[in-house]
């Protein structure tokens, strides 16, 4: 049975005797243990990160970029390995896991452009004989705390850019699927990253609190559920850190009466049920506008019944299990609540069983129709394969639903009307928006982040936002020629 420890200064290490179980969600069986790191482990991580920062921040951006290029090459050769590690502990299909590694790899690719990205601004003659320029400098030791649903991609939204900017980085992966974090760090060492620039510390909220309270750590990047995101944001700010904390979601997909229905339904299938709905950009609400509701619900229901729900080892699987028995119980309780609230259960995934995997944490595709905005199943994030359909008469009502919701991560509209689409993209209060695209996840060279209760902090992740987050701005004003004036000046300079 595997024991997952920490990756500190290029070595796998832990002094702690406390462990948590790691499960195979397909079988519902324990397959390993992860360490709950001690204060001593944390101290070692900190010393290593502090030392590594001194040299790494002095390494030229071009040399840093070359290490990232090598890392990209090594990652490309290891996509299948990493995907297998993810699927074993997370349960998602192998193709989905591979896709997520590639999305992370694209951030490494973006970060190889760091010499260009760090170029500052220069103004000649801001005053007579005076030049001024701005530079961006690294923060120091940075940290990232990540969720279970993307054990490679989400950490890779963070550390490649932080490290490219000259920082050292401490990763605290989810305790539910921790093996991937260690593998990613080992491969970075293989690419030539000096020891200690990327350390990985495992554990749960105790380690998180050590990170948040540590004054040597300059910034915290977090992705996870909204209550924890809010806690991380407030506590990091109390301890004087820069913070970006991405939270949960309830993403709406609006289907207009003039939409291409087949395309909308295909989009909804992958977006609602792919990865068993455990994506922060999953579509969990479909809003049917006008008279399209009956046709939409029938087509979703017909298609969802053909989805193959099976373990990741079955390469034709469309979706796997959810992450844990507790999470499965929570999803099932939401389905019970939806029925009690009066929503119409069109497809019921509660009693889903697969022969040979009876103890696996599987939930079948579930569909509710006639959901209304006051229901708990609409207001809260379920994070499972449960889709709610709401019916409204007009586009304005659909937009109001999107905007009144507490979450603001992603949304999408299916329509063939350019004017409606333009109005929607301009007026929805949401961070990431799709037009005839079901999951509008921005590419690495744009930035990822929601609004409202889906993001606490000032910066989204990766892209230029990432570079800004992981650097401090400095502006220099410089005069070399001898001044024509002698003596002190007491007025604000005007030329
Ligand atoms: P989670 O909030 O339970 O855990 C995330 C991280 O926080 C883990 O590393 C965990 O160890 C730590 N943590 C958990 N409870 C804590 C506590 N009380 N104090 C301090 N640290 C704590 O989230 P999860 O279940 O791993 O992931 C699913 C959630 O993440 C969903 O809500 C999903 O929407 C969200 N998510 C959001 C995005 C986004 O970009 N907005 C992306 C992926 C996932």
């Amino acid at each position: 049975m595997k024991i997952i420890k920490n990756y500190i200064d290029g070595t796998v290490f832990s002094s702690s005797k406390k462990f948590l179980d790691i499960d195979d969600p397909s079988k519902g069986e324990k397959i390993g243990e992860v360490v709950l790191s001690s204060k001593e482990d944390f101290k070692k991580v900190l010393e290593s990160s502090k030392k590594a920062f001194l040299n790494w921040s002095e390494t030229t951006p071009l040399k840093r970029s070359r290490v990232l290029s090598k890392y990209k090459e090594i990652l490309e050769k290891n996509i299948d390995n990493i995907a297998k590690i993810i699927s074993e502990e997370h349960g998602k299909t192998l193709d989905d896991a591979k896709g997520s590694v590639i999305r992370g790899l694209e951030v490494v690719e973006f970060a190889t452009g760091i010499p260009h990205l760090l170029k500052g601004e220069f103004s000649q003659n801001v005053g007579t004989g005076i030049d001024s320029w701005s530079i961006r400098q690294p923060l120091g030791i940075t940290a990232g705390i990540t969720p279970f649903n993307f054990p490679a991609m989400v950490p890779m939204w963070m550390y490649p850019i932080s490290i490219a900017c000259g920082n050292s980085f401490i990763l605290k992966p989810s305790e539910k699927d921790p093996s991937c974090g260690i593998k990613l760090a080992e491969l970075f060492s293989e690419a030539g990253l000096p020891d200690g620039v990327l350390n990985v510390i495992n554990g749960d909220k105790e380690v998180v609190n050590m990170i948040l309270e540590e004054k040597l750590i300059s910034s915290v990047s977090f992705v996870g559920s909204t209550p924890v995101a809010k806690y991380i944001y407030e506590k990091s700010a109390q301890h004087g850190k820069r913070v970006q904390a991405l939270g949960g979601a309830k993403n709406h997909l609006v289907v207009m009466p003039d939409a291409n229905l087949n395309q909308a339904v295909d989009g909804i299938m992958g977006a609602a049920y792919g990865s068993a709905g455990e994506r922060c950009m999953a579509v969990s609400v479909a809003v049917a506008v006008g008279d399209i509701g009956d046709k939409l619900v029938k087509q979703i229901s017909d298609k969802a019944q053909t989805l193959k729900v099976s373990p990741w080892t079955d390469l034709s699987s469309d979706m796997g299990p959810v992450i844990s028995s507790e999470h499965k119980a929570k999803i099932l309780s939401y389905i019970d609540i939806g029925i009690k609230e009066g929503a119409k259960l069109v497809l019921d995934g509660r009693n889903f069983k697969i022969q040979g995997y009876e103890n696996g944490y599987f939930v079948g595709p579930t569909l509710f129709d006639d959901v209304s905005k006051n229901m708990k199943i609409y207001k809260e994030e379920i994070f499972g394969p449960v889709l709610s359909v709401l019916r409204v008469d007009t586009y304005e009502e659909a937009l109001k639903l999107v905007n009144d919701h507490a979450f603001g991560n992603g949304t999408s509209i299916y329509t063939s009307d350019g004017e409606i689409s333009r109005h929607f993209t301009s007026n929805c209060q949401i961070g990431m928006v799709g037009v005839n695209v079901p999951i509008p996840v921005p590419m690495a060279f744009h930035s990822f982040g929601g609004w409202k209760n889906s993001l606490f902090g000032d910066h989204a992740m990766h892209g230029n936002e990432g570079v800004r987050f992981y650097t401090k701005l400095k502006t220099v004003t410089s005069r070399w020629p001898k001044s024509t004036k002698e003596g002190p000046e007491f007025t604000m300079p005007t030329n």
Side-chain angles (χ1 to χ4, degrees), residues 118-181:
L118 285 180
K119 280 195 304 197
E121 292 172 328
F122 183 89
S123 302
Q124 197 174 27
N125 284 335
V126 290
T128 308
I130 301 176
D131 302 330
S132 187
W133 67 92
S134 59
I135 50 177
R136 303 207 72 99
Q137 294 188 314
L139 304 179
I141 306 174
T142 59
I145 300 153
T146 53
F148 78 83
N149 66 328
F150 286 108
M153 183 182 83
V154 169
M156 289 162 98
W157 286 351
M158 304 172 181
Y159 71 81
I161 298 190
S162 168
I163 287 172
C165 289
N167 301 291
S168 55
F169 193 92
I170 301 170
L171 173 65
K172 204 303 278 174
S174 168
E175 62 276 30
K176 293 180 184 130
D177 43 16
S179 298
C180 186

Side-chain angles (χ1 to χ4, degrees), residues 145-150 154 157 172-176 203-205 208-209 222-226 228-229 231-232 246-249 279-280 381 383 409 432 448 454:
I145 300 153
T146 53
F148 78 83
N149 66 328
F150 286 108
V154 169
W157 286 351
K172 204 303 278 174
S174 168
E175 62 276 30
K176 293 180 184 130
D204 58 10
K205 61 182 177 193
V208 172
N209 283 331
F222 172 85
V223 176
S225 57
T226 287
V228 183
Y231 168 76
I232 301 270
L246 277 58
R279 292 182 183 136
C280 62
E381 181 183 42
F383 217 54
N409 214 40
M432 294 170 283
F448 186 107
S454 298

Side-chain angles (χ1 to χ4, degrees), residues 359-418:
N359 296 325
Y361 312 137
F362 291 95
V363 180
T366 300
L367 177 62
F368 277 113
D369 192 7
D370 291 333
V371 174
S372 67
K373 65 177 184 185
N374 296 322
M375 292 178 183
K376 202 171 154 92
I377 57 163
Y378 172 68
K379 288 196 277 195
E380 296 180 11
E381 181 183 42
I382 300 174
F383 217 54
V386 181
L387 176 69
S388 294
V389 177
L390 277 81
R391 297 177 181 228
V392 295
D393 292 328
T394 63
Y395 160 73
E396 287 73 21
E397 284 172 81
L399 180 64
K400 187 163 170 16
L401 275 177
V402 171
N403 286 346
D404 286 351
H405 206 284
F407 291 109
N409 214 40
T411 189
S412 181
I413 190 164
Y414 273 72
T415 180
S416 40
D417 183 329

Side-chain angles (χ1 to χ4, degrees), residues 323-338:
I323 187 71
S324 64
S325 58
E326 295 78 24
H327 192 51
K328 176 174 172 176
K330 188 175 155 197
I331 295 167
L332 299 192
S333 82
Y334 269 112
I335 301 175
D336 295 339
I337 290 168

Side-chain angles (χ1 to χ4, degrees), residues 70-86 97-98 101-102 105 152 180 183-184 186-188 190:
K70 184 76 191 158
Y71 186 40
K72 177 180 161 280
E73 245 176 63
I74 293 174
L75 284 169
E76 276 163 351
K77 288 190 192 128
N78 279 278
I79 290 174
D80 289 350
N81 275 342
I82 301 168
K84 187 163 169 280
I85 293 171
I86 295 173
K98 276 188 208 170
V101 178
I102 292 168
L105 222 154
C180 186
K183 182 75 185 168
L184 293 171
E186 284 173 343
L187 295 177
F188 217 161
E190 203 181 311

